[in-house]
Amino acid sequence: MKIARILAPIALTLIACSSNNSTGTTSPDQDPGLGGDGSGAASAPDKNPDGVAYPTDHIGTNPRNGTNPGDRIKNFKFMGYPNGDTSKGLQPVSLANYFDPSGKNFQLIHIQASGSWCPHCVNEVKAVSTIKADLDQRKTVWIVSLAEGPYLGQPSTKADLDDWLANYKPPYTHLLDPGNHNLGPFYDDAALPWNANISAKTMEIITAGVGAVETGPGIIKEVDDVIAQLSDPSGLK
């Protein structure tokens, strides 16, 4: 099932780009070895840093809805740059890296799926780059998945991701998801940006949808609103 819900609870208007108006031209080939999960992504961990296995039940794409708990997000695996550090080259990264049932390091995982052609994606990453200390204080990890390059419908490449990091210098983990290979089931085509908030304790999808909050204070408000939902007893255990 594909999700086209607007993120909640956000009072601000969300804006999304869309690649539905494709020119019809053939997209260039992806970098060799970077199709799908990416070269080496299969070696990304299935356990968190403490050795706890990633949960495998209740896997799906639905966010929480009222008193109905959301699905758990799959342990997707990528090639990427942990903490935006390009010095070691692309590294295998999975969502298990951020699974934290004890809550000692993380309580919320935010995933932003983007295309470098999308101005709202760019505005969002610029805004969030100014509030890292605020997110750290809230034990919130921000992850950016680059799905498309500089043209509508063009799968992202390592060069696109390198340019993105060089241009905006966001201090967050960045992942390659060429052509929406992993996260594509969550949104229609490349209606970007797509944003999701995940409980680090259970990997339950709390909110998910297309659109972006493009100011630092707006993002902090969204994060605080979602954190307030994490203690809801109706959520996944």
Side-chain angles (χ1 to χ4, degrees):
M1 177 182 296
K2 293 188 176 182
I3 298 172
R5 296 179 61 233
I6 294 299
L7 286 170
I10 302 174
L12 301 180
T13 300
L14 300 184
I15 305 173
C17 308
S18 174
S19 67
N20 290 337
N21 296 324
S22 173
T23 60
T25 57
T26 302
S27 299
D29 292 338
Q30 298 175 37
D31 283 357
L34 291 182
D37 286 346
S39 177
S43 64
D46 292 310
K47 296 181 179 181
N48 77 353
D50 293 326
V52 180
Y54 193 94
T56 56
D57 61 327
H58 300 290
I59 300 297
T61 61
N62 294 310
R64 185 180 290 185
N65 183 14
T67 59
N68 296 319
D71 296 325
R72 298 191 212 274
I73 192 169
K74 179 182 175 181
N75 183 31
F76 290 111
K77 300 182 178 184
F78 306 83
M79 295 300 292
Y81 295 122
N83 302 313
D85 180 7
T86 61
S87 64
K88 298 178 182 179
L90 288 171
Q91 303 292 310
V93 181
S94 69
L95 294 185
N97 289 106
Y98 304 98
F99 172 46
D100 191 1
S102 70
K104 66 178 180 179
N105 296 312
F106 308 120
Q107 63 174 337
L108 185 66
I109 303 164
H110 186 103
I111 302 174
Q112 173 193 344
S114 298
S116 57
W117 54 266
C118 170
H120 303 298
C121 304
V122 171
N123 289 341
E124 183 177 23
V125 83
K126 285 181 177 178
V128 77
S129 294
T130 67
I131 57 170
K132 187 175 188 302
D134 298 285
L135 297 183
D136 289 346
Q137 182 182 15
R138 290 162 170 79
K139 292 186 178 180
T140 295
V141 59
W142 195 278
I143 299 171
V144 178
S145 165
L146 194 66
E148 296 196 342
Y151 303 103
L152 298 175
Q154 180 185 48
S156 59
T157 66
K158 177 180 179 296
D160 296 328
L161 188 57
D162 290 346
D163 287 345
W164 176 278
L165 285 161
N167 288 334
Y168 310 121
K169 299 178 174 59
Y172 303 108
T173 294
H174 276 63
L175 309 171
L176 267 177
D177 189 20
N180 308 284
H181 177 269
N182 281 341
L183 299 178
F186 288 90
Y187 45 86
D188 292 324
D189 298 321
L192 299 170
W194 173 80
N195 284 272
N197 289 291
I198 313 296
S199 166
K201 182 177 181 179
T202 64
M203 303 310 293
E204 178 190 353
I205 306 166
I206 307 301
T207 68
V210 296
V213 178
E214 299 181 19
T215 68
I219 291 170
I220 292 171
K221 181 183 184 303
E222 175 199 339
V223 167
D224 286 342
D225 288 346
V226 175
I227 287 173
Q229 298 182 59
L230 295 182
S231 60
D232 189 328
S234 66
L236 287 179
K237 305 298 187 288

